[in-house]
Amino acid sequence: MQFSNHMDEIQLSKIRQIGELAGQMAKEGRSVIKLQVGEPDFDTPQHIIDAAIASLNRKETHYAHNRGTMECRKAISDKLWRDNGIKADPEKNILVLNGCAEALQCATLGILDPGEEMIIIEPTFINYIQLAKMAQCTPVIVRAREENGWLPDVEDIEKAITSRTRILLLNSPTNPTGAVYPRELLEQIAQLCVKHNLIVVSDEVYEKLIYGDAKHVSIASIPGMEDRTITINGLSKAYAMTGWRLGYVAADENLVLPMLKVHQYSTTCLPVFVQAGAAEALNNGEADVEAMRREYQRRRDMLAKLLLECEDLSLRVPDGTFYMYPNISKLGIDSHSFVFRLLEETGVATTYGTAFDQKGEGNIRISFANSEENLREGAARILQFIAKVR
Ligand SMILES: Cc1ncc(COP(=O)(O)O)c(C=O)c1O
């Protein structure tokens, strides 16, 4: 039987494999600590759930507008202006989509033509490369280096640009490194995009999970970028709403139209009650987000302190997200073997860095979206394991 040839190029998620193995071990009665998942351990705040239930009780059970309910688009528009300095007309510039995952798919399938190139900064969220390939495009990799705080060099980005480059994909705060792009860097990148006529897809899903003095800047708010940026955001991480599947794009109306086509002919619309919950979250959820952010910051500080006690490991304490990306290369063991041995021998699940950075060996990703108790126990087991393999 014949299948789509270009799907042969697409890889299944490497991270899933670790989760499945960890799940299997837990079923067998082993003590497993899951520090590989990129998902808040908090539940969605009750007032958001109540808003969705109220919508269902109003029998709002029909198809919604393809672009999203006006209530939800309006809440997104207000948020973008309040938090990001982005002007987005709810009628023309916003699409409510099935998570940032669908937003990314709409941006790549909607904007790229086969044979074009999309620049991706590694270490990277794993979806981007596969999405470029689904759009029959070439993902062009620029590596951000650890010694540079995991930020990319603008010169490296410029060197990667060719006549076929259409999109530069940015993700700040960054999964998996936790790096937050400062304004000056974004201004330099903006100049480059104007010079080379590139579209920026800016994935800002970790925007609210930011610590210390770091500040989130949306590249769409930098002069010259408003018409060439697709801002992607969603409620999964900051509001503990992963299962609600609510993400969105904000962009110039000319960019929105092709993305709307992808959405219309794939998922069509989001449930109205999900959008009612999302509007409540965006309009009245700031205190909940701040409480969770503080807790992540506390856990970050605690975990970093524990890990930094180990001389065999180095760590840049992340400014954002809920991930740490320590370097284990001093141990002389590759990150893939480290992660699988760590899981099998101690029950602690993490993710190997080569899943995010094909050429970058030596790091593992640890999620601190977990309880203090689990993080303390996880760190103790990691340090015992390091002492054993040293
Ligand atoms: C950088 C990044 N973008 C997008 C997503 C997908 O988010 P959503 O749940 O909104 O689809 C994730 C999820 O891990 C992510 O890490």
Side-chain angles (χ1 to χ4, degrees):
M1 218 188 293
Q2 193 74 31
F3 300 110
S4 156
N5 282 331
H6 90 271
M7 278 296 157
D8 288 349
E9 303 286 309
I10 315 289
Q11 289 170 4
L12 284 170
S13 166
K14 293 177 181 171
I15 302 182
R16 278 278 140 76
Q17 206 191 344
I18 301 162
E20 277 164 18
L21 187 55
Q24 186 56 37
M25 287 169 64
K27 260 196 206 147
E28 288 162 9
R30 298 268 311 269
S31 152
V32 172
I33 301 179
K34 294 183 181 171
L35 305 184
Q36 89 286 7
V37 275
E39 169 154 35
D41 58 317
F42 300 107
D43 292 326
T44 302
Q46 190 58 43
H47 64 104
I48 300 173
I49 295 175
D50 291 344
I53 292 173
S55 163
L56 280 170
N57 282 333
R58 288 193 299 272
K59 311 278 185 286
E60 292 174 350
T61 54
H62 298 272
Y63 287 129
H65 193 290
N66 288 151
R67 288 176 187 253
T69 61
M70 190 39 87
E71 181 198 26
C72 189
R73 278 187 272 156
K74 176 89 175 52
I76 292 168
S77 167
D78 291 348
K79 178 257 178 256
L80 287 168
W81 180 240
R82 190 173 65 230
D83 294 349
N84 310 94
I86 296 174
K87 276 195 197 137
D89 180 343
E91 296 277 359
K92 297 182 193 145
N93 301 123
I94 292 169
L95 296 179
V96 182
L97 300 167
N98 205 297
C100 293
E102 193 198 357
L104 286 160
Q105 189 190 25
C106 288
T108 45
L109 282 182
I111 306 300
L112 291 163
D113 270 331
E116 290 187 328
E117 294 175 356
M118 175 162 94
I119 297 180
I120 295 166
I121 316 289
E122 281 195 338
T124 176
F125 176 50
I126 53 172
N127 290 28
Y128 303 150
I129 294 178
Q130 308 307 326
L131 285 168
K133 290 183 188 167
M134 274 197 201
Q136 303 194 39
C137 290
T138 310
V140 174
I141 306 300
V142 170
R143 295 201 58 243
R145 287 182 291 274
E146 189 163 8
E147 58 275 21
N148 202 15
W150 293 118
L151 297 172
D153 270 345
V154 179
E155 297 75 41
D156 290 344
I157 299 177
E158 186 151 33
K159 274 189 225 144
I161 297 172
T162 72
S163 57
R164 288 187 299 280
T165 312
R166 175 66 72 95
I167 292 179
L168 168 62
L169 205 153
L170 300 178
N171 170 221
S172 174
T174 310
N175 174 8
T177 61
V180 176
Y181 287 33
R183 176 178 288 280
E184 309 77 66
L185 174 61
L186 289 170
E187 283 172 350
Q188 289 169 20
I189 292 176
Q191 277 179 13
L192 202 64
C193 293
V194 172
K195 180 173 159 195
H196 294 277
N197 195 23
L198 303 185
I199 292 167
V200 168
V201 173
S202 180
D203 178 349
E204 304 182 10
V205 71
Y206 294 99
E207 167 198 10
K208 301 261 177 195
L209 304 182
I210 208 155
Y211 314 112
D213 296 332
K215 294 236 167 348
H216 174 74
V217 176
S218 289
I219 192 164
S221 68
I222 295 176
M225 293 307 291
E226 51 277 32
D227 297 343
R228 58 175 69 250
T229 305
I230 298 172
T231 302
I232 290 183
N233 210 330
L235 274 59
S236 285
K237 312 288 175 172
Y239 297 85
M241 290 175 70
T242 45
W244 295 64
R245 310 307 306 129
L246 195 132
Y248 56 89
V249 293
D252 179 80
E253 58 181 310
N254 293 319
L255 292 170
V256 163
L257 279 181
M259 294 193 279
L260 178 60
K261 292 180 192 170
V262 179
H263 177 58
Q264 273 187 349
Y265 298 120
S266 50
T267 63
T268 313
C269 66
L270 250 77
V272 178
F273 59 91
V274 166
Q275 300 189 61
E280 169 65 21
L282 291 166
N283 291 334
N284 300 310
E286 220 42 33
D288 306 294
V289 171
E290 177 54 14
M292 290 187 266
R293 189 201 66 80
R294 275 172 197 256
E295 180 57 19
Y296 290 129
Q297 179 160 315
R298 214 179 55 75
R299 294 169 183 183
R300 175 197 74 151
D301 295 345
M302 181 205 72
L303 183 64
K305 192 158 170 266
L306 291 172
L307 294 179
L308 284 167
E309 278 169 17
C310 174
E311 286 175 4
D312 295 309
L313 176 152
S314 65
L315 173 71
R316 284 180 182 274
V317 180
D319 289 323
T321 73
F322 38 53
Y323 306 114
M324 276 188 197
Y325 203 55
N327 187 311
I328 48 117
S329 56
K330 270 194 210 154
L331 294 168
I333 163 173
D334 67 86
S335 68
H336 188 274
S337 311
F338 181 97
V339 161
F340 278 92
R341 276 191 61 190
L342 179 72
L343 178 56
E344 273 152 23
E345 294 175 33
T346 75
V348 178
T350 55
T351 313
Y352 48 94
T354 40
F356 311 105
D357 188 2
Q358 298 160 73
K359 295 210 178 108
E361 185 44 83
N363 295 79
I364 62 164
R365 189 188 76 174
I366 303 175
S367 162
F368 51 93
N370 211 316
S371 67
E372 173 169 350
E373 190 190 351
N374 280 345
L375 290 172
R376 282 191 186 281
E377 176 61 21
R381 292 190 200 177
I382 291 171
L383 298 186
Q384 276 162 17
F385 176 74
I386 288 178
K388 194 167 95 182
V389 297
R390 180 192 290 141

